[in-house]
Amino acid sequence: IQAIKEFGVEAIRSAAEFQKNQIAFKTFIGSTAEANKILNDLVQLAIKTPFTSEQTIQAARVLAAYGVNAQQLIPIVKRLGNISAGTQIPLEQIALVFGQIKAAGKLMGQDLLQLVNAGFNPLQEISERTGESMASLRKRMGEGKISFEEVARSIIAATDPFSRFGGLADDFGQTFLGRVSTLKDNLQKLARQFGEDLLPAAKSTTEALIEWSIETNKAGGIIERYGKFIFYAINAYVVYALAKRKDIGLTVASNLQN
């Protein structure tokens, strides 16, 4: 019973968090349908790689906040994910540095230092691709002449197939820890889908309790006396709702196979 109750609470939390992300992406993108598609693509990307859906979604939110357009979000998250997998630096951190360079329009010393510390040197990539010396590149950077576009091209070159970081996220996704991550993401996806069924009722119950608490608080002391009863009533409702779902086992099996 306790495990079922905890699953119900996690399902509602996961659905509520996803709902919050839907609103955030709609704000950045301007379209509910496009926001939902991007979120679902980010979840699928997490399932295939060693990253969690929270990590891919957070990285995309950072990029969107820095002005990366909707069509570029998934491809850029994939490429930054390859670098993250190869360097073991958090995906969100690399996305943040990328966003800062985009906002500035050029590569600056502090951003270069963060990338180098992460294990990726865009100047080295530019040098190998163009033949320009590192001394010349550092001089140009000091003059503010290494553009964001040059950095972006260096990331593309470093993450293309057969390049140093190419396909690393997918490769790590096939390791034991990567498969464990995939299992967690599948279970979280199941919990979220189930939570979406519970969310309307949970929200209605919450709204009713808010109204009731406002009225009863006027009398004073009633919440304190009946608070424990309310807590158990909500738990009982979650357990009851979960018990009615006879397809939980089939749904788990289906998600794990996908």
Side-chain angles (χ1 to χ4, degrees):
I1 295 297
Q2 181 66 22
I4 293 176
K5 183 180 71 175
E6 289 176 357
F7 177 78
V9 171
E10 174 59 23
I12 292 174
R13 186 207 65 79
S14 181
E17 186 68 24
F18 197 77
Q19 189 179 70
K20 184 174 73 174
N21 283 320
Q22 285 175 317
I23 295 171
F25 274 92
K26 180 187 175 184
T27 301
F28 291 131
I29 296 166
S31 165
T32 300
E34 186 69 18
N36 289 341
K37 181 182 183 304
I38 288 173
L39 279 170
N40 287 325
D41 287 347
L42 290 168
V43 170
Q44 288 304 120
L45 176 62
I47 288 173
K48 296 176 182 178
T49 62
F51 306 110
T52 65
S53 56
E54 285 93 344
Q55 289 172 324
T56 57
I57 289 172
Q58 181 58 31
R61 283 186 65 167
V62 169
L63 293 171
Y66 276 104
V68 174
N69 67 49
Q71 290 72 30
Q72 293 178 319
L73 279 177
I74 302 300
I76 290 175
V77 171
K78 284 181 179 179
R79 290 185 182 277
L80 297 183
N82 284 331
I83 295 175
S84 175
T87 60
Q88 298 301 299
I89 300 298
L91 177 57
E92 305 97 308
Q93 182 177 332
I94 295 177
L96 177 62
V97 178
F98 183 89
Q100 289 170 343
I101 298 170
K102 178 173 174 55
K106 60 186 178 182
L107 179 65
M108 296 189 290
Q110 182 178 354
D111 297 322
L112 175 65
L113 182 61
Q114 291 184 71
L115 288 173
V116 170
N117 287 339
F120 174 72
N121 188 339
L123 296 186
Q124 186 67 45
E125 294 293 337
I126 295 171
S127 178
E128 292 175 0
R129 191 178 76 254
T130 66
E132 185 175 357
S133 70
M134 290 294 289
S136 173
L137 286 167
R138 288 187 179 280
K139 182 175 184 296
R140 284 207 295 125
M141 185 186 71
E143 296 170 348
K145 294 180 180 179
I146 301 289
S147 68
F148 165 74
E149 288 72 22
E150 284 187 89
V151 176
R153 285 195 294 271
S154 75
I155 290 173
I156 291 172
T159 55
D160 273 342
F162 308 111
S163 64
R164 183 153 61 103
F165 295 102
L168 281 185
D170 289 335
D171 291 344
F172 274 96
Q174 296 305 312
T175 64
F176 172 72
L177 291 178
R179 301 312 290 164
V180 170
S181 175
T182 295
L183 173 62
K184 289 180 179 178
D185 278 314
N186 272 311
L187 290 174
Q188 185 178 50
K189 182 179 178 182
L190 168 64
R192 188 189 78 244
Q193 290 171 339
F194 186 73
E196 288 169 354
D197 291 341
L198 289 176
L199 206 54
K203 183 178 178 182
S204 297
T205 302
T206 302
E207 294 290 351
L209 285 172
I210 289 172
E211 293 181 13
W212 178 79
S213 67
I214 291 171
E215 293 301 318
T216 53
N217 268 329
K218 294 176 182 177
I222 295 180
I223 294 294
E224 288 77 6
R225 284 189 291 170
Y226 294 102
K228 189 173 291 187
F229 167 77
I230 295 167
F231 172 77
Y232 286 122
I234 293 173
N235 284 341
Y237 169 78
V238 171
V239 172
Y240 170 74
L242 286 167
K244 288 186 68 178
R245 288 293 294 264
K246 298 178 181 179
D247 60 335
I248 290 178
L250 294 175
T251 308
V252 171
S254 174
N255 274 275
L256 290 179
Q257 290 171 1
N258 292 332

